[in-house]
Amino acid sequence: SFHLPCAQQLFVLLSPGSTVSELIVIGDVGQDVTVPCHYSVRNKKGITSMCWGRERCPSSKCSRPIIWTNGWRVTEQHSSRYQLRGDLHTGDVSLTIVNATEADSGIYCCRVEIPGLFNDQLINRKVLVRKAWISAASPQTYTSEQTSAPGSTSESSSPVTRTWPPVSASAAPQTASTPCSGSSDCLDVAANLQNTSVSLPSQQRSERELYIGIGSCAALLLILILALFLT
C-alpha cells in the first residue's frame, strides 16, 4: 500500500499550456494600489491582447471586465480609476487602482490571451484595501481647569483663578480710624494708647487725695476755731 506523507492534498487540474496563480495585494484607502501582472514578450509577434476582470478567471474572457487591451494600447476602460501604467510592449500589464477604496477589495483576474488552444495565461489576484491607521503620536490638545483636592500640597499646572468673597465693613477688624502710613507711625499710635490707658487711673487717684487733704485741713481749722471760742 502507498502511504501519503500529508493528511490533506490539494489537486489542481489545469488544461495544457494554461497558467493559474493567486497572490494577495494589500493597500491603503486613498492610495494607488498596483496589482502586478506580466507575460513574456520575446518579439513584436509575442505582444497579445488581455483583459482584467473583477472575479476569478473563467474558462474564457473575463468576468465583470474593467479594462481591455489589444496588446498595444487600451481599447476599452470601465472607469478612469483603472489604469495600465506599465509598458505594454514589454508585457507589463499591471493594473493600477487610483485612489483605492474598501469597495475595491476582492478578486481580480488578469487574462493574457496567448494564441493556441487553452494557452491563455490566467492570474488571479486577491486585493485587500485597508483603512488608514491613525497615528497614536498625533498631537491632541485638551483644555480643562483643574483644582487641587482639599489638603493636597501639589499644585496644578493649569492656571486657576480663585475669587474670595467680599468682607463686610462690620466684620472687618478696626484698629484705628486712620490707617498707619508706616511701621513707625503704627508704633507711636500703640504707645500713645498704652500711655493714655495707664495715666487715667493715676490722675483720678491724685484728685481723690487732693480732695481728702482739703477736707482734712478744713476740719482741723474748724476744730481750732471752736477751741479758741471756748477758751
Side-chain angles (χ1 to χ4, degrees):
S1 61
F2 178 74
H3 298 283
L4 297 176
C6 300
Q8 183 178 6
Q9 296 184 82
L10 177 64
F11 293 91
V12 180
L13 179 62
L14 300 177
S15 299
S18 64
T19 303
V20 176
S21 63
E22 182 172 344
L23 294 176
I24 298 178
V25 178
I26 300 176
D28 294 326
V29 170
Q31 303 296 324
D32 293 353
V33 178
T34 299
V35 187
C37 185
H38 301 80
Y39 70 96
S40 177
V41 177
R42 296 181 180 178
N43 50 51
K44 291 183 178 180
K45 293 182 179 180
I47 299 176
T48 184
S49 59
M50 59 83 57
C51 63
W52 276 95
R54 282 298 307 265
E55 293 181 357
R56 294 183 182 276
C57 297
S59 57
S60 64
K61 304 300 179 179
C62 290
S63 298
R64 297 175 58 192
I66 56 177
I67 197 167
W68 300 262
T69 76
N70 60 4
W72 297 90
R73 60 183 179 84
V74 175
T75 55
E76 294 186 44
Q77 192 174 12
H78 178 72
S79 170
S80 60
R81 294 180 57 246
Y82 301 120
Q83 300 178 8
L84 301 182
R85 296 177 176 177
D87 187 357
L88 301 182
H89 303 162
T90 60
D92 185 0
V93 290
S94 300
L95 173 68
T96 298
I97 305 173
V98 179
N99 192 19
T101 65
E102 288 185 277
D104 292 319
S105 299
I107 301 297
Y108 288 76
C109 166
C110 174
R111 187 184 197 99
V112 179
E113 298 176 338
I114 299 176
L117 184 63
F118 304 114
N119 285 338
D120 290 354
Q121 176 180 300
L122 312 178
I123 299 177
N124 293 318
R125 298 288 193 228
K126 183 176 182 180
V127 177
L128 175 61
V129 182
R130 308 170 302 180
K131 290 183 178 179
W133 293 95
I134 300 176
S135 175
S138 58
Q140 297 182 357
T141 304
Y142 299 94
T143 303
S144 62
E145 294 184 358
Q146 300 180 356
T147 56
S148 300
S152 175
T153 58
S154 61
E155 295 182 356
S156 173
S157 59
S158 302
V160 179
T161 303
R162 294 183 176 88
T163 303
W164 301 101
V167 179
S168 62
S170 59
Q174 299 180 359
T175 56
S177 59
T178 304
C180 302
S181 60
S183 60
S184 59
D185 294 342
C186 292
L187 292 175
D188 294 340
V189 171
N192 292 334
L193 292 175
Q194 184 177 4
N195 293 335
T196 302
S197 61
V198 173
S199 61
L200 286 177
S202 60
Q203 290 178 0
Q204 293 177 357
R205 186 167 54 253
S206 61
E207 290 178 357
R208 189 166 49 252
E209 292 176 353
L210 178 61
Y211 293 152
I212 294 174
I214 294 175
S216 299
C217 292
L220 183 59
L221 181 60
L222 181 59
I223 294 172
L224 291 176
I225 294 175
L226 290 176
L228 292 175
F229 180 75
L230 290 175
T231 57

